[in-house]
DNA sequence: GATGAATGAGAATTCATTCAT
DNA sequence: GATGAATGAATTCTCATTCAT
């Protein structure tokens, strides 16, 4: 799976192309949902999307770039939903804002948590995706602090790094290995508590249970 | 915790065999350290370990089992180190115990955080490994609660799930993308704070910075 | 010398068509100049010529025929230049005529020796092109002998075969691998000497140096 | 057809490997003899050689390198035969030596002139092969001059370049397009004449016929 | 006529695995 | 037991060509 520089073959400004790419992404998602990541190959993707393999390769220079674009799109989508959430929480108390964000993280798009996990397995080494994810998290952290009125410079890098990641990591783990937790109020509660602890704003002493 | 898994071809009671397997694991680790996971193949592993490919296949029935055993060994090793840490912290304050555990998580064996990450990429879908990891985390959580004198039944499943995973996830993220954080006292501090918050024992109101 | 070959789809009597074909040839030449022959494909040719791939296929039934026509055009052009040279040398001494022909061979159109070589690599097996080239050389040999007043029947087939080919081969080799030789007077001199030797008219005993 | 640096995958010091490579070369030659060069693919080569495709790729990193090695072997073989010829002609008159060399060029190995031609079509752009061929010709020229007692420094570069190439080019052309010429005494005669003319040693005035 | 998205056969290459020595 | 040459299914990717718009 060689790695080219140019990520896409044709700029999908045309709606035609945009639709085809979406079809390919959707096909990929369905396959990831159904089978192990290394069974997902370009032939199967094209086939399921209802295109010939050649069409796939006229939209993406190679397999890696298709997966990369798909991952980047996921990141962008999450950030967009985050942005909406922040906007809707303007001028609210920090704990309320955090709770909204935790809920956002807990609500997988179309139940596609498994797809996302497998996508990570396929794209995990891709530096572009890595960078995009971490920059997105950093941007979202910044937006959040701004929203709740904290100057980022008043907070250590370590803590800024942790605020969201201490929520996102466990959510992913739960989604994969204990999905029922996602629906429990006390799970949401504890995630909020973690973030607030890092903001120096503990809730009332947490009940042990 | 029995040592044998039936994906191993021979019971490695003989030291010869044990040594050979360790050599193969070490070779795999070195390759993972050097190259992308999908460049790591059985021929290269055998080659670097100084064995023929045939020998590799007399110790493991297939590639997946080699990687699986290796991952399981990592899990067992971590748990063993955890056990030592707990033993050494007997009858200490919870925050002290937690701090020791955080330090354990921050100190990978031989700086092999990258190796572990890539191993996950290769083995990530293996149900045996998944199960072993989560069972280990659950066992360690139990041991910890026992050590600090909390009855596990007094704590919600959600919280038990989170206590360690809210530390482990961010540590891995930092190891991969902001390794310098691992050495910062305030990073350790905040990780401890996260766990304590979940135990309902906040430190003194956290300074924002 | 009729201009039409039945591998062309339309008789390019219309200037439009003629121009389009020339554009396609020119694009092909530019690509051959820039890249390796097997990187030159029909899509790139159409693209560089500023046409759609469909247009290319309305002028040529397939890739081979485009390249064939292009090669045949080269052959015709060379023969036309040869004809001019011969005409301009009417009633001159044989050594003078030969020198003019050698100069012609040394002076490729637009410095496109490399293009010609790569075209040969792409079209080399085409029997039509092979035949056209050799017939052209035979015709030119005949014209030359006529011009200098030698009856072709007075000369062996072997020698007629050699007269021009002993010049053309080395010139191509030099163009590709020692282009600086092309400009040296002694190179031209020796090529003339070779041809004259075959005509049984050696120059004064050649200086060794 | 990507191009690696390393030309061979395993050093064929072992006789086993040497034999396998020879089989692959022989299979390639047979295919080139039978079909057009671009129909010759690695699958067919392996198949005809009686190996699996994987075996081919354990001896050569890619198709290009197989063809390259084969071409280089041809060059080495020709040079070896040249060397024998020179040795056998020690202390003979220049015209005798040249005649032997011309005969060598006229005697294709196993009637494989066509194979060689097609090999050139496949490998023609390969810089390694190009360089090897030209260096070989230069070495042979040097050996020849030494043998007939001419100091290379007494001869212009242009002429040294031409001495053999003015023979080799036409021979190849004849082999491909007028094979019957190869057997004619007057063809041999004229080739000798060409070389001698370049050495400043004309034969008796050439008979026109 | 022109366009260019779509096609799909076919080619190169990899690598887990086997088995004769 | 060890070896490593050989296997071949599977995968990625290309590009000449078609045809609906």
């Amino acid at each position: 799976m060689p790695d080219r520089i140019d990520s896409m073959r044709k700029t999908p400004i045309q709606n035609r192309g945009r639709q085809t790419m979406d079809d390919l992404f959707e096909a990929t998602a369905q396959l990831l949902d159904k089978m192990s990541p290394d069974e997902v190959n370009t032939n199967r993707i094209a086939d399921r999307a209802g295109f010939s393999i050649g069409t796939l390769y006229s939209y993406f220079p190679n397999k890696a770039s298709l997966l990369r674009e798909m991952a980047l799109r996921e990141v962008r989508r999450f950030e967009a939903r985050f942005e909406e959430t922040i906007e809707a929480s303007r001028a609210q108390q920090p704990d309320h804002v955090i709770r909204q964000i935790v809920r956002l993280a807990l609500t997988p798009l179309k139940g596609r948590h498994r797809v996302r996990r497998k996508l990570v397995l396929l794209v995990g080494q891709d530096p572009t995706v890595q960078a995009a994810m971490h920059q997105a998290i950093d941007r979202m952290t910044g937006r959040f602090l701004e929203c709740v009125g904290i100057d980022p410079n008043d907070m250590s890098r370590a803590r800024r790094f942790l605020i969201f990641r201490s929520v996102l990591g466990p959510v992913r783990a739960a989604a994969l290995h204990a999905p029922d937790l996602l629906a429990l109020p006390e799970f949401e509660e504890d995630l909020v508590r973690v973030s607030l602890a890092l903001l120096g704003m503990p809730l009332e002493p947490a009940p042990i249970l």
Side-chain angles (χ1 to χ4, degrees), chain A:
Chain A
M1 195 163 52
D3 239 281
R4 303 276 180 76
I5 308 295
D6 53 324
S7 205
M8 274 183 281
R9 207 157 249 189
K10 47 181 77 169
T11 349
I13 295 175
Q14 325 92 341
N15 269 351
R16 184 84 168 281
R18 173 62 82 194
Q19 179 58 49
T20 302
M21 286 174 59
D22 280 348
D23 292 349
L24 290 167
F25 288 150
E26 176 59 23
T28 307
Q30 286 177 25
L31 293 175
L32 283 174
D33 208 20
K34 242 203 316 216
M35 54 185 71
S36 133
D38 48 54
E39 290 171 327
V40 175
N41 61 28
T42 49
N43 288 298
R44 273 205 250 263
I45 293 173
D47 193 45
R48 167 155 283 258
F51 293 104
S52 77
I53 181 65
T55 297
L56 185 156
Y57 279 94
S58 79
Y59 285 92
F60 301 97
N62 50 50
K63 184 186 182 183
S65 98
L66 184 157
L67 297 170
R68 177 166 47 242
E69 290 309 319
M70 187 171 164
L72 293 174
R73 195 184 65 159
E74 291 300 308
V75 172
R76 283 193 298 269
R77 285 187 173 182
F78 186 82
E79 196 173 355
R81 293 207 294 147
F82 175 90
E83 197 60 31
E84 289 169 19
T85 306
I86 282 284
E87 282 304 325
S89 309
R90 278 250 158 264
Q92 302 277 341
Q93 290 302 309
D95 65 322
H96 178 262
V97 182
I98 283 190
R99 187 174 304 273
Q100 298 310 313
I101 295 172
V102 164
R103 279 187 187 157
L104 174 64
L106 286 170
T107 318
L109 216 47
K110 298 194 217 167
R112 285 267 163 88
H113 246 125
R114 195 174 358 155
V115 169
R116 245 132 101 171
R117 162 69 169 172
K118 292 187 179 175
L119 195 51
V120 166
L121 250 31
L122 281 171
V123 147
Q125 287 300 109
D126 188 300
T128 309
V129 175
Q130 299 285 344
M133 276 183 55
H134 284 272
Q135 283 162 17
I137 292 180
D138 290 345
R139 269 195 309 273
M140 292 189 285
T141 303
R143 285 289 283 129
F144 164 73
L145 293 178
E146 178 193 326
C147 171
V148 298
I150 298 177
D151 182 346
N153 299 314
D154 285 350
M155 189 175 268
S156 74
R157 205 161 73 80
R159 189 167 294 174
R160 289 199 310 267
F161 184 89
L162 283 173
I163 283 183
F164 281 174
R165 273 171 266 243
S166 60
V167 169
L168 263 28
V171 167
R172 203 185 60 173
L176 295 168
H177 305 293
D180 59 304
L181 290 180
L182 297 174
L184 297 181
E186 64 266 32
F187 192 64
E188 175 183 317
E189 208 61 35
D190 279 345
L191 288 169
V192 171
R193 190 182 313 278
V194 162
S195 283
L196 286 181
L198 288 169
L199 284 174
M201 303 167 174
L203 291 180
E204 68 286 3
I208 285 209
L209 186 67

